[in-house]
Every structure is written in C-alpha cells, then in structure tokens.
Amino acid sequence: MSIKINQMKLTNFQGIRNLELNFDGLNKSIRGDNGTGKTTIINAYYYLLTDKPSVTMADYSPKTKGVEGDLHNLEHTVECTFDVNGIVKVLKKTYKEKWTQKRGNKNKELTGNTISYEVDGLPVKEKDYNREIEELFGPREIIQMLISPTYFSDVLSWKDRRKYLTDICGDYTDEEIINVVAELEPLNEILLLNGSTTQKRSIDDQIKLLKTNMSSINKELKQIPSRIDEAERAIPETAGSKADYENQLFEARKEISSLNDRKLAAKSGNSAAVEKSNRIAEIKQKEREARIAHINSFDEVNRLIKESINNLINKKNLLNDTISSNDIRISRYKNDIDYMSKMRNELLNDYKTVSAMEFDENRRVCQTCGQSLPADQQEKIFATFNINKSKKLEELQKKGADVSKDKIASKELELNNLIHENEQLGIKVMDLASQIETEKSKITAVTPFEDTEEYRVIKKQLADLENTDNEIDKVIEEIDKEIHECNVKVATLNTHISRFQLAEEQQKRIDELEARQAQLAEDYDRYEYELSLCEKFIIEKVKRITKKINQRFKTVNFELFEKQITNDAIIESCNVMVPNEKSIVPYKMANNASRINAGIEIIDTLSEHFNIRMPIFVDNAESVTKITSTSNQLIRLVVDEDYKTLTMVEE
C-alpha cells in the first residue's frame, strides 16, 4: 500500500499560527533558518498519527506559548490530507482548553484540556479515530517504525528489534541447524523430553536446565568434603573382635535367664514368701494411689491458675512482639524521612542550579581561530544545550516526585501513629505483667506426702513386713545380686558392639558420599559438554540468521550475539551497525548523516515487509550530502539561513 501526503495545515501549533504546506504527494524539501519551525512540522505529523512528538518527551503539548506562558482560548490544530492508493483521506486533530464556571464563581476556570478528532471532515470519537488510523496504516508501533528514521534503532529494545528482523527474514528451526552441523548431532538425543521419543526441549530451556543442574551440583560438591570429614570424625575407636563380644553377650543372657528361673522356683516353693510378697505389693500400690490423690488435690486448683497465667503471658508476648516489630518500622521510617528530606533539599538545590544555567555564547565561536562557527553548528550546539538542560530538569522532577512534601508528611504521619501505638501497647504490657504477678501469688504450694499421717501408717506396715524372718528372702537377694552383675556385663558388651556398628555405619556413609562425589563430577562434565554444544548451536544459528538478515539490507548490518569478556559466554543482542566513512560502527557511534541513511534503509525494508509505504520526514537533512534512495515519499527539513521563513522547494 502506497501512502502519500498531499497537504498539511497547522493552526496555533507549537508557535506556528497558520501554515499550509502542499506536498502534492512528491518529495520535497522545507528550508528555513533555525527557530522557524521545521521540527514543529515533524512533531505535528507524528502527533497526528501516534499521539507522540518526533522526540520522546513527557507531558507533550501542542500549545502555543507566549512570553508569560501558554496562550489561552486557542485551538491547536493539525490536519493532513493523504493519498492512500489513490483514495483521499483527511485526518484532523484539535487540542483545546476546557473552561468551567463553578457554582458561586463569576469567572470560568481552566479545568483541563480536550482533544477532538475528524476523519474526512466528520467528527469522530477517539476510539473510532484510532481504529481508522490502525486500519489505514497499521498498529501504532508499526507506524512509528515506518515514519521515523530513528525509532527502530533508538527506541525499540534489542529484543523487539530482533523479533521484527526474524519476522521479516524468517527464522531457522532447531532441527534445521542441528541437521546441517555434524558436531551438533548429539543434541537430537540431549533435547528429548524424559520418556519421549519425539518431543524436545528448546535450546533456551535446555541451557536453563543445564545451568540449574550444574549450579545444584556445584553446591552439593562443595558440601561433600565436609560431610566426609564429619563421618570420619564420627567413627569411634574399637578394640577386640565384634564376633567375640557377641558370643559373650549370648552367654550372659543365657545366665540371666537361668538365674530368673532359680528366683521363680525359690518364690513358688515357699507359700509364706509368696504371701509376704503379695502383701508388700498391695501396700506399695496403696501408697502410690494415696500419693497421686494427695498431689491431685493441689494440682486441680493450681492447674486453673497456671492456665490463666499462661494465657496472660501469651498475650504479653504477642504485645511485646508487636512493639518490637513497630520499633524496627519506627527506625526505618525515621531513616526514610531523614533521607527523603536530605534528598529533597539536594534536588531542589540542583533544580535551581540547572534552571539558572545559561548558554555560553562563547561556544558559538571557534576556540582555535576565533571566528564564528557556521550557523548550523551554532544551532546544533544551542539545541543540544537546551535538550540536555531539559533532560536534567525532567530527571530532577521525576526524582523529586519520590521525595515530595506529601510523601514525607505521609511518612511522618505513619511514624507518629506507630509511636502512639507503641505507647498504648506499653501500657497494656505493664497491666498484663501486674495481672501475672497477682495470679502467681494465688498458687498454693503442695504439702509433701511424706508429712501426712497416711504415709506414716503405710510405711509402718511395710516395715513390719520387712522385719519378719524368712530364709527365702536371703536366697532371692543373692540371686538378684548375680542378676545385677550379669546385667552390668550385658550393658558393657552392648556398648562395645554398638561402637562396631556405628563404625560400620559411618564407613558405609563415607563410601556412599565418595560414590556420590564421583557421580556428580561425571554428571557435571556431561552437563558442561552439553552446554558447550548448546552454545555452539546458538553461535551457528545466530551466524546463519545474521547472514540471512543482513542480505535483506544494502549497507546496514546487525550483530545478533555478543561474547562476554569475563567468561566467553555467548549472549543474545541486536546491535545496529552502519557504514561511517571508511568503517562500520555501532549506530550510536555513527555521524548524523550515517544514522539518517541507515534509518531510511531500515524503513525501506520494513515497508516492503509490511507492504505499507508512508511519508518519511527527515530532520536536520542538511547534514546528509547524499541521502539513501527510497520508494517512500521523502520530506527533508533543512537548516538554511538564507530562508528566514519556512519555504518548501521540490528537490
């Protein structure tokens, strides 16, 4: 689709009161001295189609300003007539103030601004206007790329540039690259998803997976030596033979079993001894029950008191936790307020300093010969100064928004609220502490059971039984001594055997860790090899895509990957490279003429891809001695001190 601009009309637009330009769909040059409004024409064109000026700026307004600021009660209009494949299309946008008379006031007040839209002379709503724009020219970003020589290289992110280039020139599938480079053939199996014979991961996902796995392996490998050392230090010292200790343990347990049989036989052979033993058991059971009942009589009362105390303590702890948390926030708020106040003062001083900066007129004179510089150079130096000053003021305003009076006041309010809250919480804590002490005083000490009459009666009954003569008791006592000695021996033998078992377990742990260490090292080498294949794949793919893309352009080239100096890693990019005198340099390092021609060349390729050719306005075209040829309508804005007013010529 071929789009030409036939006519542009400006009314009260950024200082241009009335201007009519007739392009008639032809390539034209607009000549004029500095300050005559050439850039304003481009701003108007961009504003009509994208709502943005030609240069990225915040809070853009097409208003005309006077000495004391904005001129009021004016309508700021841009209107363009286009030829769209032979069909005339007229677009118009009008920016005007909104005045409102509030109740009780005689005079109207400025309450904002409004924008009205027209298509082919008919008023339309904003959404209908934008839909008309998109139907005619495409999405806004496409329009910006097709009308601005700088948008693709200066504004778009490298990822978006790369996306559009691959859309234009086509991409290569992973399989296409792998199948033409024999060294990369192992990737066919490496990329397969677990359990699948056909589905594969992307190279990017595989690289992420490999790096994640290698990072995990590194972390685990760093921990293994300390774990091995810990296991080695945990191996106990042993003496003798484990088998010998186990045989001795078997014999000791047989001896204990035999002694228990003798003890049972002694008890069952004497009825008096049995009766005595049963009676003692009954009395001891009676003592246990009496002791429990005695304690419980106190515990029930104290239990309720302790529950109350615990509840009060929990409430107090929660309040103290809140106070501690608030103290941290109070400290942070105080630091924030101090920092914001200091930063605000610094920014205000910086803003005053920058605002007071004036252009050094000596810069208009050559420092070598003392003669005045050419007018175009003077204007460029002056314009650069103003742009830089505006950027600095804008940056200071943005920073100042984060430390405004309102934000500082809001912080101070939050701080005072927290301080007040902590004061109230402190009062509550003191009250709870008082309640806790009161409850503690209610706890009743338990009287020892041994001090009771019931205990003395039970103990006398036991003593009477113990003092009765019975020969069997002496026999059982001797057997118990032998059983005790055997149990001591068993415990000692178990200790020796446990040392051997622990030593075996720790050695097994060491063997497992060393095997794991070897396996991890093997896995890491494999992952490292696979990662190197993936990086070689990226290099191969990028080389081929780069070649494919660069073939679509006459002089402009693109670098789609960079090698990091620190680790030789390959990272994706999309750097625009343009011819500059006798070399090819990055776009941002090229001179103005080279950047303009590169931008036109890029637009030409994009226009062919999207099948839309739109008018291109080129600012500062006087710096380009030979402009790149294009099928798009080309409007050159030229600084020419011989023309004191804007003058359009056919070139």
Side-chain angles (χ1 to χ4, degrees):
M1 179 166 59
S2 176
I3 300 170
K4 307 285 187 180
I5 184 169
N6 288 333
Q7 188 182 66
M8 174 184 288
K9 294 179 182 179
L10 301 181
T11 305
N12 299 316
F13 196 95
Q14 279 193 305
I16 296 180
R17 289 307 187 98
N18 286 287
L19 179 66
E20 182 175 324
L21 298 171
N22 294 306
F23 302 101
D24 301 322
L26 304 175
N27 295 342
K28 300 280 187 168
S29 291
I30 300 175
R31 294 182 173 272
D33 202 356
N34 289 316
T36 54
K38 297 181 298 298
T39 301
T40 299
I41 293 172
I42 299 180
N43 286 344
Y45 176 58
Y46 285 31
Y47 178 72
L48 180 72
L49 299 181
T50 68
D51 286 332
K52 301 287 185 181
S54 59
V55 179
T56 301
M57 64 176 67
D59 302 324
Y60 174 74
S61 172
K63 283 188 174 184
T64 293
K65 297 181 181 293
V67 177
E68 298 181 355
D70 292 342
L71 298 180
H72 298 297
N73 297 304
L74 297 176
E75 293 188 354
H76 314 277
T77 302
V78 53
E79 178 182 340
C80 286
T81 302
F82 296 94
D83 183 320
V84 183
N85 281 354
I87 299 173
V88 176
K89 183 63 65 174
V90 182
L91 302 176
K92 184 177 180 181
K93 186 183 291 186
T94 301
Y95 187 97
K96 54 188 176 183
E97 296 172 338
K98 181 180 181 181
W99 293 82
T100 305
Q101 185 173 358
K102 296 183 179 180
R103 183 179 297 178
N105 293 338
K106 294 181 179 180
N107 299 322
K108 292 184 177 181
E109 296 180 5
L110 179 62
T111 56
N113 300 283
T114 63
I115 303 175
S116 61
Y117 306 87
E118 292 183 19
V119 177
D120 295 333
L122 298 175
V124 296
K125 295 181 179 179
E126 180 182 5
K127 64 178 182 179
D128 296 324
Y129 181 86
N130 291 333
R131 184 170 59 249
E132 185 78 19
I133 292 287
E134 186 164 341
E135 289 176 356
L136 287 172
F137 312 120
R140 179 171 293 179
E141 187 170 78
I142 301 297
I143 296 174
Q144 291 171 316
M145 287 193 295
L146 297 182
I147 66 176
S148 170
T150 61
Y151 187 84
F152 186 87
S153 301
D154 277 339
V155 181
L156 280 183
S157 67
W158 72 265
K159 290 183 178 180
D160 287 336
R161 289 199 296 269
R162 185 175 182 135
K163 176 185 177 298
Y164 281 116
L165 289 172
T166 53
D167 288 345
I168 292 171
C169 302
D171 202 354
Y172 289 98
T173 65
D174 292 354
E175 288 77 9
E176 288 175 329
I177 301 298
I178 294 171
N179 292 335
V180 296
V181 181
E183 187 180 2
L184 302 178
E185 195 275 335
L187 287 174
N188 282 321
E189 292 189 9
I190 292 171
L191 297 176
L192 285 173
L193 294 174
N194 293 337
S196 176
T197 59
T198 56
Q199 291 183 310
K200 297 180 180 179
R201 290 188 189 89
S202 67
I203 290 292
D204 288 341
D205 287 344
Q206 184 66 23
I207 290 175
K208 292 177 183 177
L209 178 63
L210 290 171
K211 288 183 176 180
T212 299
N213 291 343
M214 291 169 72
S215 177
S216 298
I217 288 175
N218 270 329
K219 290 180 181 178
E220 190 172 352
L221 283 173
K222 289 179 181 178
Q223 296 172 353
I224 286 179
S226 62
R227 292 177 180 175
I228 291 175
D229 181 65
E230 182 183 351
E232 288 176 341
R233 287 187 283 105
I235 296 176
E237 293 183 1
T238 56
S241 165
K242 180 183 178 184
D244 184 44
Y245 288 131
E246 288 175 340
N247 290 331
Q248 292 182 47
L249 179 63
F250 178 76
E251 294 299 325
R253 286 173 173 170
K254 281 178 62 179
E255 181 67 16
I256 291 172
S257 179
S258 176
L259 289 169
N260 282 324
D261 289 341
R262 286 174 54 196
K263 182 179 178 179
L264 181 62
K267 286 183 176 182
S268 62
N270 188 294
S271 60
V274 172
E275 178 64 24
K276 176 183 176 181
S277 178
N278 292 337
R279 181 59 181 156
I280 289 173
E282 290 175 2
I283 294 172
K284 286 184 176 180
Q285 178 63 28
K286 182 179 177 181
E287 179 190 357
R288 286 193 292 272
E289 292 173 353
R291 184 184 296 276
I292 292 170
H294 176 78
I295 294 172
N296 288 342
S297 65
F298 289 89
D299 283 351
E300 180 60 25
V301 175
N302 289 340
R303 183 183 64 80
L304 297 174
I305 297 173
K306 288 177 181 179
E307 285 183 357
S308 176
I309 292 173
N310 288 332
N311 289 333
L312 292 171
I313 291 174
N314 289 334
K315 290 180 181 180
K316 180 185 173 187
N317 290 338
L318 287 173
L319 291 178
N320 281 328
D321 290 343
T322 303
I323 291 171
S324 298
S325 178
N326 284 349
D327 285 338
I328 295 171
R329 294 173 65 192
I330 287 169
S331 178
R332 187 169 67 247
Y333 277 168
K334 287 180 177 179
N335 291 334
D336 289 345
I337 291 168
D338 291 340
Y339 171 80
M340 290 170 73
S341 299
K342 182 180 178 182
M343 182 58 66
R344 174 176 171 78
N345 290 331
E346 291 178 357
L347 290 173
L348 286 172
N349 291 332
D350 290 346
Y351 192 90
K352 290 177 182 178
T353 302
V354 175
S355 296
M357 290 172 56
E358 295 182 356
F359 180 71
D360 185 4
E361 294 295 332
N362 292 327
R363 296 181 64 187
R364 297 182 183 274
V365 179
C366 178
Q367 301 302 310
T368 304
C369 65
Q371 295 182 355
S372 295
L373 296 171
D376 58 331
Q377 292 187 24
Q378 291 186 31
E379 181 61 25
K380 184 179 289 185
I381 294 171
F382 182 74
T384 301
F385 169 82
N386 287 331
I387 291 171
N388 291 337
K389 181 178 178 179
S390 297
K391 285 183 179 178
K392 289 179 181 178
L393 291 173
E394 183 183 346
E395 290 172 357
L396 290 170
Q397 287 178 334
K398 288 182 179 178
K399 292 180 180 178
D402 295 329
V403 292
S404 64
K405 286 184 178 179
D406 291 341
K407 290 192 176 181
I408 293 174
S410 178
K411 281 280 185 183
E412 290 174 341
L413 179 61
E414 292 177 9
L415 172 62
N416 292 331
N417 290 338
L418 283 173
I419 293 173
H420 177 72
E421 183 181 344
N422 268 12
E423 291 173 351
Q424 297 301 312
L425 292 174
I427 295 171
K428 292 181 180 179
V429 168
M430 292 175 63
D431 180 62
L432 287 171
S434 177
Q435 293 180 49
I436 290 169
E437 293 302 318
T438 301
E439 289 296 305
K440 285 182 177 179
S441 66
K442 298 177 181 178
I443 294 176
T444 305
V446 179
T447 303
F449 178 66
E450 286 78 9
D451 294 342
T452 64
E453 180 64 24
E454 187 175 13
Y455 176 78
R456 285 191 288 272
V457 171
I458 292 171
K459 292 305 288 185
K460 187 176 183 305
Q461 292 175 345
L462 285 173
D464 292 342
L465 284 170
E466 294 290 344
N467 291 331
T468 57
D469 293 329
N470 197 328
E471 268 315 306
I472 198 65
D473 289 344
K474 294 180 180 180
V475 176
I476 293 174
E477 184 178 353
E478 290 297 323
I479 295 173
D480 284 339
K481 288 181 180 178
E482 292 182 50
I483 291 173
H484 175 71
E485 291 173 357
C486 287
N487 284 330
V488 171
K489 185 177 181 180
V490 167
T492 303
L493 291 170
N494 278 328
T495 300
H496 286 295
I497 294 170
S498 296
R499 288 178 175 273
F500 279 98
Q501 292 173 340
L502 180 59
E504 291 170 357
E505 290 172 358
Q506 294 303 319
Q507 187 57 53
K508 182 181 178 183
R509 174 63 174 161
I510 292 169
D511 294 341
E512 291 173 348
L513 288 169
E514 289 177 342
R516 177 62 177 168
Q517 190 177 40
Q519 182 61 53
L520 289 172
E522 183 181 338
D523 291 343
Y524 190 90
D525 290 341
R526 175 165 56 84
Y527 292 150
E528 196 169 41
Y529 164 71
E530 293 178 1
L531 183 61
S532 69
L533 287 180
C534 291
E535 290 176 345
K536 289 177 182 177
F537 168 89
I538 292 173
I539 293 173
E540 286 292 333
K541 184 174 182 178
V542 169
K543 283 182 179 178
R544 294 171 187 273
I545 292 175
T546 301
K547 182 179 179 181
K548 192 174 185 179
I549 289 172
N550 289 336
Q551 287 175 344
R552 294 290 301 270
F553 296 86
K554 298 176 183 177
T555 62
V556 178
N557 285 332
F558 295 89
E559 288 184 348
L560 300 185
F561 73 93
E562 299 174 5
K563 180 178 284 188
Q564 292 186 323
I565 299 176
T566 54
N567 56 7
D568 289 334
I570 304 299
I571 61 172
E572 293 182 306
S573 63
C574 187
N575 299 321
V576 185
M577 308 295 292
V578 302
N580 189 61
E581 297 178 354
K582 296 182 179 180
S583 63
I584 296 181
V585 298
Y587 175 85
K588 293 186 181 296
M589 295 178 60
N591 58 42
N592 189 53
S594 297
R595 290 198 298 270
I596 289 174
N597 279 330
I600 294 173
E601 184 178 331
I602 292 170
I603 287 177
D604 205 53
T605 300
L606 292 172
S607 296
E608 184 178 348
H609 173 70
F610 293 113
N611 193 28
I612 303 174
R613 292 196 174 274
M614 299 185 66
I616 305 171
F617 283 70
V618 180
D619 204 4
N620 299 316
E622 71 281 352
S623 63
V624 189
T625 56
K626 186 178 180 180
I627 203 160
T628 295
S629 64
T630 176
S631 299
N632 296 47
Q633 183 184 9
L634 197 66
I635 312 298
R636 300 170 68 247
L637 286 303
V638 182
V639 176
D640 193 335
E641 62 183 357
D642 293 335
Y643 294 86
K644 302 305 178 185
T645 60
L646 292 176
T647 304
M648 188 165 61
V649 298
E650 188 173 342
E651 305 211 12

